PDB file of all heavy atoms in Angstrom:
ATOM      1  N   ARG A 119      76.583  65.354  -7.255  1.00 97.00           N
ATOM      2  CA  ARG A 119      75.956  66.805  -7.202  1.00 97.00           C
ATOM      3  C   ARG A 119      75.184  67.065  -8.453  1.00 97.00           C
ATOM      4  O   ARG A 119      74.021  67.663  -8.407  1.00 97.00           O
ATOM      5  CB  ARG A 119      77.055  67.860  -7.101  1.00 97.00           C
ATOM      6  CG  ARG A 119      76.562  69.198  -7.060  1.00 97.00           C
ATOM      7  CD  ARG A 119      77.629  70.289  -6.882  1.00 97.00           C
ATOM      8  NE  ARG A 119      77.022  71.594  -6.735  1.00 97.00           N
ATOM      9  CZ  ARG A 119      76.426  72.328  -7.591  1.00 97.00           C
ATOM     10  NH1 ARG A 119      76.112  71.911  -8.681  1.00 97.00           N
ATOM     11  NH2 ARG A 119      75.875  73.503  -7.188  1.00 97.00           N
ATOM     12  N   GLU A 120      75.598  66.633  -9.568  1.00 97.00           N
ATOM     13  CA  GLU A 120      74.846  66.720 -10.832  1.00 97.00           C
ATOM     14  C   GLU A 120      73.539  65.959 -10.831  1.00 97.00           C
ATOM     15  O   GLU A 120      72.604  66.439 -11.275  1.00 97.00           O
ATOM     16  CB  GLU A 120      75.785  66.308 -12.061  1.00 97.00           C
ATOM     17  CG  GLU A 120      75.095  66.546 -13.296  1.00 97.00           C
ATOM     18  CD  GLU A 120      75.913  66.341 -14.609  1.00 97.00           C
ATOM     19  OE1 GLU A 120      77.142  66.542 -14.449  1.00 97.00           O
ATOM     20  OE2 GLU A 120      75.405  65.820 -15.576  1.00 97.00           O
ATOM     21  N   PHE A 121      73.654  64.832 -10.291  1.00 98.00           N
ATOM     22  CA  PHE A 121      72.393  63.922 -10.126  1.00 98.00           C
ATOM     23  C   PHE A 121      71.463  64.534  -9.188  1.00 98.00           C
ATOM     24  O   PHE A 121      70.334  64.730  -9.580  1.00 98.00           O
ATOM     25  CB  PHE A 121      72.765  62.511  -9.510  1.00 98.00           C
ATOM     26  CG  PHE A 121      71.708  61.832  -8.921  1.00 98.00           C
ATOM     27  CD1 PHE A 121      70.618  61.154  -9.809  1.00 98.00           C
ATOM     28  CD2 PHE A 121      71.441  61.799  -7.560  1.00 98.00           C
ATOM     29  CE1 PHE A 121      69.674  60.487  -9.322  1.00 98.00           C
ATOM     30  CE2 PHE A 121      70.380  61.123  -7.102  1.00 98.00           C
ATOM     31  CZ  PHE A 121      69.537  60.471  -7.882  1.00 98.00           C
ATOM     32  N   VAL A 122      71.927  65.207  -8.058  1.00 96.00           N
ATOM     33  CA  VAL A 122      70.960  65.842  -7.178  1.00 96.00           C
ATOM     34  C   VAL A 122      70.391  67.076  -7.816  1.00 96.00           C
ATOM     35  O   VAL A 122      69.179  67.293  -7.790  1.00 96.00           O
ATOM     36  CB  VAL A 122      71.682  66.099  -5.843  1.00 96.00           C
ATOM     37  CG1 VAL A 122      70.671  66.996  -5.029  1.00 96.00           C
ATOM     38  CG2 VAL A 122      72.001  64.959  -5.062  1.00 96.00           C
ATOM     39  N   VAL A 123      71.176  67.939  -8.424  1.00 95.00           N
ATOM     40  CA  VAL A 123      70.768  69.185  -8.966  1.00 95.00           C
ATOM     41  C   VAL A 123      69.939  68.983 -10.206  1.00 95.00           C
ATOM     42  O   VAL A 123      68.832  69.675 -10.324  1.00 95.00           O
ATOM     43  CB  VAL A 123      71.973  70.183  -9.269  1.00 95.00           C
ATOM     44  CG1 VAL A 123      71.587  71.329  -9.959  1.00 95.00           C
ATOM     45  CG2 VAL A 123      72.754  70.497  -7.933  1.00 95.00           C
ATOM     46  N   LYS A 124      70.342  68.252 -11.068  1.00 96.00           N
ATOM     47  CA  LYS A 124      69.647  68.065 -12.277  1.00 96.00           C
ATOM     48  C   LYS A 124      68.555  66.970 -12.384  1.00 96.00           C
ATOM     49  O   LYS A 124      67.573  67.269 -13.157  1.00 96.00           O
ATOM     50  CB  LYS A 124      70.569  67.751 -13.482  1.00 96.00           C
ATOM     51  CG  LYS A 124      71.472  68.927 -13.804  1.00 96.00           C
ATOM     52  CD  LYS A 124      72.511  68.681 -14.791  1.00 96.00           C
ATOM     53  CE  LYS A 124      73.364  69.832 -15.159  1.00 96.00           C
ATOM     54  NZ  LYS A 124      74.289  69.665 -16.247  1.00 96.00           N
ATOM     55  N   LYS A 125      68.628  65.966 -11.589  1.00 96.00           N
ATOM     56  CA  LYS A 125      67.628  64.902 -11.687  1.00 96.00           C
ATOM     57  C   LYS A 125      66.695  64.857 -10.441  1.00 96.00           C
ATOM     58  O   LYS A 125      65.522  64.831 -10.564  1.00 96.00           O
ATOM     59  CB  LYS A 125      68.279  63.504 -11.993  1.00 96.00           C
ATOM     60  CG  LYS A 125      68.942  63.556 -13.358  1.00 96.00           C
ATOM     61  CD  LYS A 125      69.541  62.140 -13.651  1.00 96.00           C
ATOM     62  CE  LYS A 125      70.045  62.011 -15.056  1.00 96.00           C
ATOM     63  NZ  LYS A 125      70.667  60.749 -15.310  1.00 96.00           N
ATOM     64  N   LEU A 126      67.271  64.647  -9.292  1.00 95.00           N
ATOM     65  CA  LEU A 126      66.480  64.370  -8.160  1.00 95.00           C
ATOM     66  C   LEU A 126      65.573  65.603  -7.764  1.00 95.00           C
ATOM     67  O   LEU A 126      64.523  65.419  -7.531  1.00 95.00           O
ATOM     68  CB  LEU A 126      67.481  64.075  -6.952  1.00 95.00           C
ATOM     69  CG  LEU A 126      66.743  63.538  -5.742  1.00 95.00           C
ATOM     70  CD1 LEU A 126      65.984  62.234  -5.955  1.00 95.00           C
ATOM     71  CD2 LEU A 126      67.793  63.253  -4.575  1.00 95.00           C
ATOM     72  N   THR A 127      66.243  66.825  -7.777  1.00 91.00           N
ATOM     73  CA  THR A 127      65.370  67.917  -7.461  1.00 91.00           C
ATOM     74  C   THR A 127      64.431  68.317  -8.523  1.00 91.00           C
ATOM     75  O   THR A 127      63.609  69.215  -8.262  1.00 91.00           O
ATOM     76  CB  THR A 127      66.309  69.126  -7.183  1.00 91.00           C
ATOM     77  OG1 THR A 127      67.100  69.447  -8.262  1.00 91.00           O
ATOM     78  CG2 THR A 127      67.149  68.949  -5.761  1.00 91.00           C
ATOM     79  N   SER A 128      64.459  67.753  -9.656  1.00 92.00           N
ATOM     80  CA  SER A 128      63.549  67.965 -10.816  1.00 92.00           C
ATOM     81  C   SER A 128      62.169  67.201 -10.500  1.00 92.00           C
ATOM     82  O   SER A 128      61.183  67.451 -11.066  1.00 92.00           O
ATOM     83  CB  SER A 128      63.997  67.580 -12.142  1.00 92.00           C
ATOM     84  OG  SER A 128      64.058  66.300 -12.169  1.00 92.00           O
ATOM     85  N   ILE A 129      62.277  66.224  -9.459  1.00 93.00           N
ATOM     86  CA  ILE A 129      60.993  65.511  -9.156  1.00 93.00           C
ATOM     87  C   ILE A 129      60.145  66.351  -8.216  1.00 93.00           C
ATOM     88  O   ILE A 129      60.704  66.971  -7.352  1.00 93.00           O
ATOM     89  CB  ILE A 129      61.365  64.164  -8.448  1.00 93.00           C
ATOM     90  CG1 ILE A 129      62.085  63.289  -9.416  1.00 93.00           C
ATOM     91  CG2 ILE A 129      60.194  63.566  -8.002  1.00 93.00           C
ATOM     92  CD1 ILE A 129      62.648  61.947  -8.618  1.00 93.00           C
ATOM     93  N   ASN A 130      58.894  66.583  -8.708  1.00 88.00           N
ATOM     94  CA  ASN A 130      58.071  67.403  -7.845  1.00 88.00           C
ATOM     95  C   ASN A 130      57.629  66.789  -6.535  1.00 88.00           C
ATOM     96  O   ASN A 130      57.793  65.549  -6.510  1.00 88.00           O
ATOM     97  CB  ASN A 130      56.834  67.570  -8.679  1.00 88.00           C
ATOM     98  CG  ASN A 130      56.922  68.558  -9.977  1.00 88.00           C
ATOM     99  OD1 ASN A 130      57.733  69.405  -9.887  1.00 88.00           O
ATOM    100  ND2 ASN A 130      56.281  68.281 -10.962  1.00 88.00           N
ATOM    101  N   HIS A 131      57.254  67.693  -5.607  1.00 91.00           N
ATOM    102  CA  HIS A 131      56.695  67.269  -4.369  1.00 91.00           C
ATOM    103  C   HIS A 131      57.731  66.799  -3.350  1.00 91.00           C
ATOM    104  O   HIS A 131      57.434  66.252  -2.370  1.00 91.00           O
ATOM    105  CB  HIS A 131      55.714  66.066  -4.507  1.00 91.00           C
ATOM    106  CG  HIS A 131      54.697  66.393  -5.669  1.00 91.00           C
ATOM    107  ND1 HIS A 131      53.955  67.465  -5.667  1.00 91.00           N
ATOM    108  CD2 HIS A 131      54.413  65.637  -6.713  1.00 91.00           C
ATOM    109  CE1 HIS A 131      53.142  67.549  -6.813  1.00 91.00           C
ATOM    110  NE2 HIS A 131      53.493  66.368  -7.456  1.00 91.00           N
ATOM    111  N   ILE A 132      59.122  66.979  -3.636  1.00 95.00           N
ATOM    112  CA  ILE A 132      60.254  66.730  -2.647  1.00 95.00           C
ATOM    113  C   ILE A 132      60.342  67.868  -1.728  1.00 95.00           C
ATOM    114  O   ILE A 132      60.537  68.944  -2.198  1.00 95.00           O
ATOM    115  CB  ILE A 132      61.467  66.350  -3.298  1.00 95.00           C
ATOM    116  CG1 ILE A 132      61.414  64.961  -4.033  1.00 95.00           C
ATOM    117  CG2 ILE A 132      62.644  66.235  -2.190  1.00 95.00           C
ATOM    118  CD1 ILE A 132      62.721  64.544  -4.775  1.00 95.00           C
ATOM    119  N   GLY A 133      60.101  67.625  -0.551  1.00 94.00           N
ATOM    120  CA  GLY A 133      60.160  68.715   0.484  1.00 94.00           C
ATOM    121  C   GLY A 133      61.657  68.906   1.002  1.00 94.00           C
ATOM    122  O   GLY A 133      62.123  70.036   1.061  1.00 94.00           O
ATOM    123  N   SER A 134      62.274  67.763   1.252  1.00 95.00           N
ATOM    124  CA  SER A 134      63.682  67.852   1.702  1.00 95.00           C
ATOM    125  C   SER A 134      64.362  66.618   1.473  1.00 95.00           C
ATOM    126  O   SER A 134      63.839  65.645   1.332  1.00 95.00           O
ATOM    127  CB  SER A 134      63.753  68.282   3.143  1.00 95.00           C
ATOM    128  OG  SER A 134      63.282  67.198   4.008  1.00 95.00           O
ATOM    129  N   THR A 135      65.711  66.755   1.385  1.00 96.00           N
ATOM    130  CA  THR A 135      66.637  65.467   1.165  1.00 96.00           C
ATOM    131  C   THR A 135      67.778  65.517   2.331  1.00 96.00           C
ATOM    132  O   THR A 135      68.112  66.589   2.753  1.00 96.00           O
ATOM    133  CB  THR A 135      67.196  65.489  -0.136  1.00 96.00           C
ATOM    134  OG1 THR A 135      68.130  66.575  -0.303  1.00 96.00           O
ATOM    135  CG2 THR A 135      66.227  65.501  -1.209  1.00 96.00           C
ATOM    136  N   HIS A 136      68.296  64.456   2.519  1.00 97.00           N
ATOM    137  CA  HIS A 136      69.402  64.365   3.513  1.00 97.00           C
ATOM    138  C   HIS A 136      70.246  63.259   2.820  1.00 97.00           C
ATOM    139  O   HIS A 136      69.764  62.017   2.734  1.00 97.00           O
ATOM    140  CB  HIS A 136      69.067  64.119   4.844  1.00 97.00           C
ATOM    141  CG  HIS A 136      70.239  63.833   5.710  1.00 97.00           C
ATOM    142  ND1 HIS A 136      70.468  62.668   6.422  1.00 97.00           N
ATOM    143  CD2 HIS A 136      70.998  64.836   6.335  1.00 97.00           C
ATOM    144  CE1 HIS A 136      71.528  62.929   7.171  1.00 97.00           C
ATOM    145  NE2 HIS A 136      71.818  64.043   7.198  1.00 97.00           N
ATOM    146  N   SER A 137      71.623  63.531   2.561  1.00 97.00           N
ATOM    147  CA  SER A 137      72.467  62.538   1.935  1.00 97.00           C
ATOM    148  C   SER A 137      73.578  62.107   2.782  1.00 97.00           C
ATOM    149  O   SER A 137      74.151  62.975   3.609  1.00 97.00           O
ATOM    150  CB  SER A 137      72.984  63.045   0.643  1.00 97.00           C
ATOM    151  OG  SER A 137      71.986  63.362  -0.258  1.00 97.00           O
ATOM    152  N   MET A 138      73.979  60.880   2.740  1.00 98.00           N
ATOM    153  CA  MET A 138      75.020  60.391   3.427  1.00 98.00           C
ATOM    154  C   MET A 138      75.901  59.504   2.302  1.00 98.00           C
ATOM    155  O   MET A 138      75.357  58.945   1.431  1.00 98.00           O
ATOM    156  CB  MET A 138      74.594  59.299   4.558  1.00 98.00           C
ATOM    157  CG  MET A 138      73.690  60.049   5.543  1.00 98.00           C
ATOM    158  SD  MET A 138      72.830  58.781   6.440  1.00 98.00           S
ATOM    159  CE  MET A 138      71.620  58.376   5.237  1.00 98.00           C
ATOM    160  N   PHE A 139      77.254  59.624   2.621  1.00 97.00           N
ATOM    161  CA  PHE A 139      78.221  58.984   1.674  1.00 97.00           C
ATOM    162  C   PHE A 139      78.805  57.787   2.235  1.00 97.00           C
ATOM    163  O   PHE A 139      79.305  57.827   3.380  1.00 97.00           O
ATOM    164  CB  PHE A 139      79.204  60.065   1.020  1.00 97.00           C
ATOM    165  CG  PHE A 139      78.430  61.284   0.652  1.00 97.00           C
ATOM    166  CD1 PHE A 139      78.561  62.433   1.450  1.00 97.00           C
ATOM    167  CD2 PHE A 139      77.685  61.310  -0.425  1.00 97.00           C
ATOM    168  CE1 PHE A 139      78.011  63.595   1.074  1.00 97.00           C
ATOM    169  CE2 PHE A 139      77.069  62.466  -0.761  1.00 97.00           C
ATOM    170  CZ  PHE A 139      77.225  63.574  -0.013  1.00 97.00           C
ATOM    171  N   VAL A 140      79.060  56.802   1.528  1.00 97.00           N
ATOM    172  CA  VAL A 140      79.712  55.601   1.957  1.00 97.00           C
ATOM    173  C   VAL A 140      81.179  55.861   2.130  1.00 97.00           C
ATOM    174  O   VAL A 140      81.808  56.266   1.107  1.00 97.00           O
ATOM    175  CB  VAL A 140      79.392  54.378   1.093  1.00 97.00           C
ATOM    176  CG1 VAL A 140      80.332  53.174   1.484  1.00 97.00           C
ATOM    177  CG2 VAL A 140      77.980  53.826   1.146  1.00 97.00           C
ATOM    178  N   ILE A 141      81.794  55.673   3.187  1.00 97.00           N
ATOM    179  CA  ILE A 141      83.180  55.652   3.434  1.00 97.00           C
ATOM    180  C   ILE A 141      83.887  54.389   3.115  1.00 97.00           C
ATOM    181  O   ILE A 141      84.900  54.367   2.372  1.00 97.00           O
ATOM    182  CB  ILE A 141      83.641  56.117   4.945  1.00 97.00           C
ATOM    183  CG1 ILE A 141      82.957  57.434   5.194  1.00 97.00           C
ATOM    184  CG2 ILE A 141      85.094  56.011   5.233  1.00 97.00           C
ATOM    185  CD1 ILE A 141      83.166  57.942   6.588  1.00 97.00           C
ATOM    186  N   ASN A 142      83.350  53.204   3.695  1.00 96.00           N
ATOM    187  CA  ASN A 142      83.858  51.943   3.398  1.00 96.00           C
ATOM    188  C   ASN A 142      82.707  50.987   3.406  1.00 96.00           C
ATOM    189  O   ASN A 142      81.795  51.005   4.253  1.00 96.00           O
ATOM    190  CB  ASN A 142      84.781  51.533   4.441  1.00 96.00           C
ATOM    191  CG  ASN A 142      85.450  50.357   4.310  1.00 96.00           C
ATOM    192  OD1 ASN A 142      85.794  49.842   3.083  1.00 96.00           O
ATOM    193  ND2 ASN A 142      85.765  49.463   5.195  1.00 96.00           N
ATOM    194  N   GLU A 143      82.699  50.095   2.356  1.00 95.00           N
ATOM    195  CA  GLU A 143      81.650  49.089   2.288  1.00 95.00           C
ATOM    196  C   GLU A 143      82.111  47.882   3.232  1.00 95.00           C
ATOM    197  O   GLU A 143      83.108  47.113   2.833  1.00 95.00           O
ATOM    198  CB  GLU A 143      81.457  48.567   0.905  1.00 95.00           C
ATOM    199  CG  GLU A 143      80.317  47.553   0.741  1.00 95.00           C
ATOM    200  CD  GLU A 143      80.183  47.272  -0.731  1.00 95.00           C
ATOM    201  OE1 GLU A 143      79.344  48.074  -1.455  1.00 95.00           O
ATOM    202  OE2 GLU A 143      80.677  46.296  -1.163  1.00 95.00           O
ATOM    203  N   VAL A 144      81.448  47.615   4.272  1.00 97.00           N
ATOM    204  CA  VAL A 144      81.914  46.504   5.287  1.00 97.00           C
ATOM    205  C   VAL A 144      81.277  45.132   4.917  1.00 97.00           C
ATOM    206  O   VAL A 144      82.017  44.177   4.884  1.00 97.00           O
ATOM    207  CB  VAL A 144      81.397  46.994   6.645  1.00 97.00           C
ATOM    208  CG1 VAL A 144      81.802  45.957   7.714  1.00 97.00           C
ATOM    209  CG2 VAL A 144      82.101  48.382   7.065  1.00 97.00           C
TER     210      VAL A 144
END
Side-chain angles (χ1 to χ4, degrees):
R119 182 181 189 286
E120 184 172 325
F121 163 76
V122 170
V123 171
K124 292 185 177 175
K125 293 185 177 182
L126 190 60
T127 57
S128 71
I129 297 177
N130 291 326
H131 317 303
I132 292 179
S134 64
T135 65
H136 178 249
S137 298
M138 300 162 287
F139 312 108
V140 172
I141 295 169
N142 182 40
E143 185 175 278
V144 177

